[in-house]
Amino acid sequence: MRSVSVDLNNDASLLIDIPDALCERDKVKFTVHTKTTLSTFQKPEFSVPRQHEDFIWLHDTLVETEDYAGLIIPPAPPKPDFESPREKMHKLGEGEATMTKEEYAKMKQELEAEYLAVFKKTVQVHEIFLQRLSSHPMLSKDRNFQIFLEYDQDLSVRRKNAKEMFGGFFKNMVKSADEVLISGIKEVDDFFEQEKTFLLDYYSKIKDSTAKAEKMTRSHKNIADDYIHISATLNSISADDSTKVEGRVASDQELKLTELLRYYMRDIQAAKDLLYRRARALADYENSNKALDKARLKSKDIPQAEEHQQQCLHKFDKLSESGKRELTGFKGRRVVAFRKNLIEMAELEIKHAKVSNIMTGSHAERYSYFGTWSGDIYFN
Amino acid sequence: MQPTSLEQLEEEEAKDSFDVDVAVTNPEKVGDGMNAYMAYKVSTRSSLPMFRSKTFSVRRRFSDFLGLYEKLSVKQSLHGCIVPPPPEKSVVGMTKVKVGMDDPSSVEFVERRRAALERYIQRVVSHPSLLQDPDVREFLERDDLPRAVNTQALSGAGFLKMINKASDAVNKMTIKMNESDTWFEDKFQEVENEEQQLRKLHALVDSLVNHRKELCGNTAVFAKSMAMLGNSEDNTALSRALSQLAEVEDKMEQLHQEQAASDFFIFAELLADYIRLLGAVRGCFDQRMRAWQRWQEAQSTLQKKREAEAKLLWANKPEKLQQAKEEITEWEARVTQYERDFDRIGMTVRKEVLRFEKEKAKDFKSQIIKYLEAMLQSQQRLIKFWEAFLPEAKAIA
């Protein structure tokens, strides 16, 4: 999973990880562990408990910080989703009476594995979010980030205050006007023109691929479940091993391909957000130009208009410069991550296929020589 | 008649060997609209002298196969025999074919039926008693077979309903059989359990087939999406890798299709066949019970006649007495006959069950091996596809 975003967490001055987490009903409590050589922190090593909502608070404050307008803010980790294993647990409870003991045990095992997989996935995605921040030259110095890592009390009070301050106003404004803005703006810079075209197109394609990959993964999971039921009824070894392989294929594909696509879909959205902010800055600058012209025409408030125009230009330039840097870095990061994941996925597919090939071969051999199949199952 | 020992029965079994091969091929639509039907080529190859030549073929339609079953299942001489049941009728499937749809599901339906008919007729000719039956010979050899009528009740639900009705009749019997030999009771219980297990398994395999078909669809759609993403990608090497990935997924879809067909034709159909066959086995046990019942009823009728005769001896009615004596003789003969029938059916059932179990083991073994071999091939191709992709992934820069 770490390979979705490479080159993280290798700067010894600030190392962050999530060594464990607790699941209470629907709430997950993450233990955020920090090791640092920076003097800005009070201690060299410490841990704090954090909830998903705390991560969202941190992300939102970063998005709403004016100074970071020229940066790609790492996408917020998605909410822990235990829907699928919970549904399975429900089905298991209902069907307990009709299942054999063996079937029940197998399904319970699968269920536990699925819970664990969801759990691992959510821990990793929260961890990566923090590591993206810690490895960014500007964001790692953010005051709220430090509070998040260090503050040993409940953050929920701060979270409520933040909501009152911003009220999500900024975010709402961003979402509604952006699509129109970004397509309507006349781009002066070739680099950004190309980036805009590319990101808009790529986003819609990767969003589609993510959805289709998820469907495919779900089909694999259904087949794995079928094999569990069949093997329990059949009491035959070959179906048993198939269970494990099918299940593993389902979760490996998930991890490598689906997660990769999902992650970059969100990352590209973050890159798009950067373009929107720059487009807005450009619009502001153009408006300030018009205002200045009007002021000159009316010979009124010219100094203010001049100053405002300078500010807008400055902001726009800053965003463009920083944005270019961020987007170039992002491109490289994405290509490297895709490469790593695709290689690992191909290697895993080959490995699993070879293993199950050997098993299938040995079973075929056994049945050729002995073949008292009916004896095995029915009269047990 | 002395019942032969079990060993003798087993020896007899081993001596039976066959040299008859029947294939059902070339489904062809005859006629148009709702009166259309599928005609199949039934080809026989045999060195047995009872046939007119070493190889020959005829054309038969589905109702001909049903008609054959009907003829065989009512023959007294075959009571106790496990007569293989024919494949199920399907109004929906057949209607689509009649109406002329050439979609993949209709093609699959015809293939499914052809394969099922072939298995059915092969089972019939593998049976030593059935092979000798003139109706079977006529089915294989006669060029124009008179059309079978009244085949409505006989396939699918109809067949099972018939079996279950007979079972109910047996269960309602007031005189319970006192088995000296528990073999029949035990075996019957085994058969019932096995049938239950197979039904459960069949439902699961059905689910597997459906999910695999879903996977096919989802994989194909995903492959297209990957291709689009590859086109959008501005890094050249990554773009090519994504396009290659799309192609691999396309090949995976093909593999999943083949696996689904294997799941269905090799595994699911095997289970469906044996669920029906086990129903036929249960039918034989019921036939034996009915034979017993008939014998018991004859004995009780004989008893009544004897009592009636005794009464008449006192009443002094010479003609009635004569009649009574004649009836007693008649019923004594019947009792003897029915007892013989019952013994004979018992022996037949034992022999048949033995043979059935051997055939079943052989059948399952060969199908499982076929299934595993198909899986092996599939896995090897999968390995090749991903091994070809790996260098493409490594070439990304």
Side-chain angles (χ1 to χ4, degrees):
Chain A
M1 180 64 187
R2 280 190 186 78
S3 52
V4 285
S5 205
V6 291
D7 298 336
L8 296 179
N9 219 42
N10 45 19
D11 180 359
S13 64
L14 185 60
L15 293 171
I16 306 177
D17 72 318
I18 299 182
D20 66 71
L22 253 179
C23 193
E24 280 170 18
R25 288 170 169 267
D26 279 359
K27 290 271 175 200
V28 182
K29 274 210 169 73
F30 303 94
T31 304
V32 178
H33 168 248
T34 311
K35 234 166 129 167
T36 178
T37 58
L38 300 173
S39 54
T40 44
F41 291 94
Q42 293 189 2
K43 289 189 267 198
E45 188 169 357
F46 47 90
S47 292
V48 292
R50 290 288 176 251
Q51 289 179 23
H52 170 73
E53 287 71 22
D54 300 328
F55 289 77
I56 300 302
W57 164 81
L58 177 59
H59 172 263
D60 290 352
T61 56
L62 295 173
V63 167
E64 281 152 16
T65 305
E66 193 59 38
D67 281 346
Y68 303 145
L71 307 178
I72 297 176
I73 311 291
K79 195 166 172 185
D81 180 16
F82 289 99
E83 183 59 45
S84 169
R86 210 181 299 133
E87 212 182 280
K88 253 197 177 130
M89 185 171 81
H90 195 65
K91 265 201 208 131
L92 192 67
E94 283 186 344
E96 187 176 355
T98 58
M99 285 186 213
T100 65
K101 234 193 333 197
E102 223 176 61
E103 216 175 332
Y104 184 77
K106 275 215 176 83
M107 287 239 68
K108 193 152 161 260
Q109 217 176 38
E110 258 302 298
L111 180 64
E112 284 166 5
E114 208 176 307
Y115 254 111
L116 195 65
V118 173
F119 200 61
K120 260 170 58 180
K121 205 166 66 181
T122 196
V123 164
Q124 284 169 343
V125 88
H126 283 77
E127 195 180 66
I128 284 179
F129 171 70
L130 296 177
Q131 288 172 346
R132 280 280 297 273
L133 293 177
S134 68
S135 54
H136 193 286
M138 265 190 90
L139 294 172
S140 58
K141 300 192 177 69
D142 182 83
R143 176 87 191 110
N144 283 314
F145 184 43
Q146 191 178 345
I147 291 169
F148 178 92
L149 293 173
E150 216 179 21
Y151 189 63
D152 57 3
Q153 311 265 305
D154 196 344
L155 278 180
S156 53
V157 177
R158 283 191 173 253
R159 282 194 273 125
K160 251 185 253 141
N161 292 342
K163 259 217 181 89
E164 278 159 18
M165 267 177 53
F166 300 119
F169 168 71
F170 206 64
K171 250 203 315 205
N172 289 336
M173 208 181 78
V174 166
K175 290 306 171 198
S176 52
D178 283 331
E179 292 287 345
V180 178
L181 200 65
I182 200 164
S183 42
I185 217 78
K186 210 185 306 168
E187 192 47 74
V188 294
D189 187 330
D190 261 347
F191 173 82
F192 283 101
E193 179 61 36
Q194 278 178 358
E195 277 305 300
K196 178 178 83 178
T197 314
F198 170 70
L199 284 177
L200 285 181
D201 181 41
Y202 202 77
Y203 179 73
S204 73
K205 302 273 163 54
I206 202 172
K207 189 167 170 196
D208 186 58
S209 295
T210 306
K212 307 269 160 74
E214 282 171 353
K215 267 184 132 165
M216 204 171 68
T217 307
R218 229 171 309 153
S219 288
H220 267 293
K221 278 218 176 95
N222 287 338
I223 291 176
D225 283 346
D226 286 335
Y227 269 120
I228 291 178
H229 289 296
I230 289 174
S231 79
T233 312
L234 201 55
N235 200 37
S236 150
I237 304 173
S238 87
D240 226 305
D241 292 337
S242 284
T243 305
K244 297 211 200 84
V245 175
E246 274 291 349
R248 265 206 297 262
V249 169
S251 61
D252 281 337
Q253 243 190 13
E254 238 277 64
L255 283 179
K256 296 276 153 245
L257 194 54
T258 315
E259 273 306 300
L260 176 75
L261 293 171
R262 218 181 267 143
Y263 188 79
Y264 277 96
M265 181 182 81
R266 282 186 262 120
D267 220 5
I268 287 170
Q269 181 63 53
K272 275 166 74 188
D273 289 342
L274 167 58
L275 288 181
Y276 298 154
R277 290 194 288 268
R278 182 179 164 277
R280 229 184 4 263
L282 182 57
D284 287 345
Y285 172 59
E286 285 178 356
N287 287 338
S288 75
N289 267 334
K290 290 198 194 105
L292 181 59
D293 286 342
K294 222 193 264 173
R296 286 194 174 133
L297 224 64
K298 289 204 192 129
S299 296
K300 204 171 115 156
D301 294 323
I302 296 179
Q304 293 100 308
E306 272 178 349
E307 208 200 308
H308 182 61
Q309 188 238 37
Q310 280 306 304
Q311 274 177 349
C312 287
L313 179 62
H314 179 67
K315 178 171 171 195
F316 174 68
D317 281 341
K318 205 173 89 170
L319 282 188
S320 297
E321 189 195 319
S322 152
K324 203 173 213 162
R325 223 179 15 242
E326 289 276 302
L327 288 169
T328 311
F330 170 65
K331 208 182 275 294
R333 225 178 29 236
R334 191 185 81 244
V335 173
V336 172
F338 266 79
R339 180 180 188 275
K340 188 148 183 275
N341 270 276
L342 290 178
I343 292 173
E344 285 174 6
M345 182 180 75
E347 286 174 346
L348 278 169
E349 291 266 4
I350 294 168
K351 185 173 113 183
H352 288 154
K354 281 190 172 155
V355 166
S356 51
N357 202 25
I358 292 172
M359 281 195 295
T360 310
S362 77
H363 293 140
E365 231 183 83
R366 227 160 13 118
Y367 287 129
S368 317
Y369 289 141
F370 305 116
T372 47
W373 194 75
S374 58
D376 284 339
I377 24 156
Y378 304 129
F379 310 132
N380 251 344
Chain B
M1 211 149 106
Q2 288 295 338
T4 48
S5 70
L6 213 54
E7 282 107 43
Q8 280 178 283
L9 282 175
E10 283 178 359
E11 263 176 49
E12 255 172 58
E13 248 313 294
K15 272 189 262 160
D16 294 322
S17 62
F18 297 96
D19 181 19
V20 188
D21 248 311
V22 186
V24 176
T25 56
N26 303 70
E28 257 173 28
K29 192 162 131 184
V30 177
D32 273 313
M34 287 315 284
N35 287 327
Y37 64 89
M38 282 304 223
Y40 303 87
K41 182 175 174 195
V42 178
S43 324
T44 311
R45 200 187 56 202
S46 170
S47 60
L48 292 179
M50 68 193 238
F51 292 113
R52 57 177 157 121
S53 58
K54 285 212 168 34
T55 59
F56 50 91
S57 69
V58 292
R59 292 198 76 69
R60 294 283 178 256
R61 54 188 290 188
F62 185 68
S63 54
D64 294 333
F65 290 81
L66 296 188
L68 175 63
Y69 174 77
E70 181 183 0
K71 291 193 192 117
L72 294 175
S73 63
V74 299
K75 284 196 177 163
Q76 263 288 355
S77 56
L78 293 178
H79 273 191
C81 276
I82 300 170
V83 179
E88 308 200 340
K89 229 176 193 185
S90 163
V91 177
V92 174
M94 206 43 212
T95 307
K96 274 171 91 176
V97 173
K98 285 185 190 185
V99 170
M101 299 204 199
D102 264 332
D103 60 311
S105 73
S106 291
V107 172
E108 193 182 285
F109 172 80
V110 172
E111 171 52 28
R112 177 182 181 180
R113 177 163 278 196
R114 181 210 65 78
L117 289 174
E118 191 173 79
R119 292 193 305 272
Y120 163 65
I121 198 69
Q122 190 61 49
R123 286 197 179 105
V124 169
V125 301
S126 308
H127 193 297
S129 313
L130 296 179
L131 183 59
Q132 301 300 322
D133 191 288
D135 281 325
V136 173
R137 192 127 48 94
E138 187 184 63
F139 179 88
L140 293 174
E141 277 187 326
R142 184 162 168 182
D143 280 319
D144 53 20
L145 201 67
R147 253 203 81 183
V149 291
N150 200 28
T151 57
Q152 294 303 316
L154 283 196
S155 49
F159 169 74
L160 284 176
K161 230 195 320 193
M162 191 176 78
I163 294 287
N164 289 332
K165 219 165 52 166
S167 284
D168 286 341
V170 168
N171 288 335
K172 287 198 182 86
M173 266 166 41
T174 47
I175 325 161
K176 257 319 172 192
M177 193 170 185
N178 202 359
E179 297 270 16
S180 51
D181 177 0
T182 55
W183 186 91
F184 289 95
E185 250 173 60
D186 293 342
K187 209 37 114 173
F188 188 74
Q189 195 58 51
E190 269 176 31
V191 168
E192 276 193 330
N193 291 344
E194 195 168 325
E195 195 177 329
Q196 228 182 29
Q197 289 286 76
L198 286 188
R199 274 181 199 285
K200 203 169 160 195
L201 197 55
H202 184 254
L204 293 174
V205 175
D206 233 2
S207 167
L208 176 68
V209 170
N210 286 333
H211 284 147
R212 221 188 280 276
K213 284 191 173 154
E214 245 173 52
L215 178 64
C216 281
N218 290 341
T219 308
V221 162
F222 174 72
K224 283 197 185 74
S225 184
M226 263 292 116
M228 299 279 284
L229 188 67
N231 277 341
S232 277
E233 177 58 59
D234 61 354
N235 177 296
T236 327
L238 180 54
S239 168
R240 196 176 54 233
L242 290 176
S243 302
Q244 292 290 70
L245 181 61
E247 276 180 36
V248 172
E249 292 292 345
D250 252 334
K251 293 189 183 125
M252 295 299 287
E253 189 232 336
Q254 184 61 32
L255 282 184
H256 293 317
Q257 283 266 45
E258 289 167 16
Q259 184 66 50
S262 173
D263 290 342
F264 179 74
F265 282 106
I266 300 178
F267 208 177
E269 288 284 82
L270 173 73
L271 297 172
D273 279 358
Y274 275 91
I275 290 169
R276 276 198 300 275
L277 277 163
L278 287 172
V281 174
R282 271 194 292 128
C284 298
F285 279 83
D286 290 341
Q287 284 173 339
R288 176 175 171 269
M289 290 305 259
R290 271 179 283 144
W292 181 81
Q293 193 182 16
R294 212 174 339 138
W295 174 33
Q296 294 304 307
E297 282 169 4
Q299 275 187 319
S300 97
T301 306
L302 177 62
Q303 184 63 23
K304 286 201 191 89
K305 298 282 179 203
R306 286 202 172 121
E307 285 165 10
E309 187 206 25
K311 285 204 191 99
L312 285 173
L313 278 172
W314 288 104
N316 194 25
K317 291 193 176 109
E319 312 87 38
K320 287 239 169 98
L321 192 61
Q322 182 59 26
Q323 189 184 22
K325 280 203 199 302
E326 280 166 13
E327 282 178 6
I328 286 174
T329 315
E330 184 196 330
W331 280 94
E332 276 173 348
R334 283 206 195 170
V335 166
T336 313
Q337 180 60 48
Y338 292 164
E339 185 179 358
R340 269 200 210 123
D341 286 346
F342 172 69
D343 284 337
R344 185 181 50 82
I345 288 188
M347 261 178 37
T348 306
V349 169
R350 282 181 104 120
K351 189 168 162 194
E352 285 285 287
V353 168
L354 218 73
R355 189 185 155 268
F356 173 75
E357 285 177 345
K358 272 215 189 85
E359 287 294 306
K360 176 160 66 77
K362 212 165 66 181
D363 221 348
F364 270 89
K365 172 174 157 178
S366 81
Q367 292 299 89
I368 292 277
I369 290 175
K370 226 159 122 193
Y371 185 71
L372 292 176
E373 281 176 353
M375 215 187 260
L376 270 175
Q377 285 228 356
S378 190
Q379 286 160 351
Q380 278 158 4
R381 284 165 65 198
L382 194 149
I383 292 171
K384 279 205 175 66
F385 294 150
W386 287 108
E387 281 179 341
F389 174 73
L390 196 52
E392 288 292 337
K394 290 190 170 156
I396 300 170

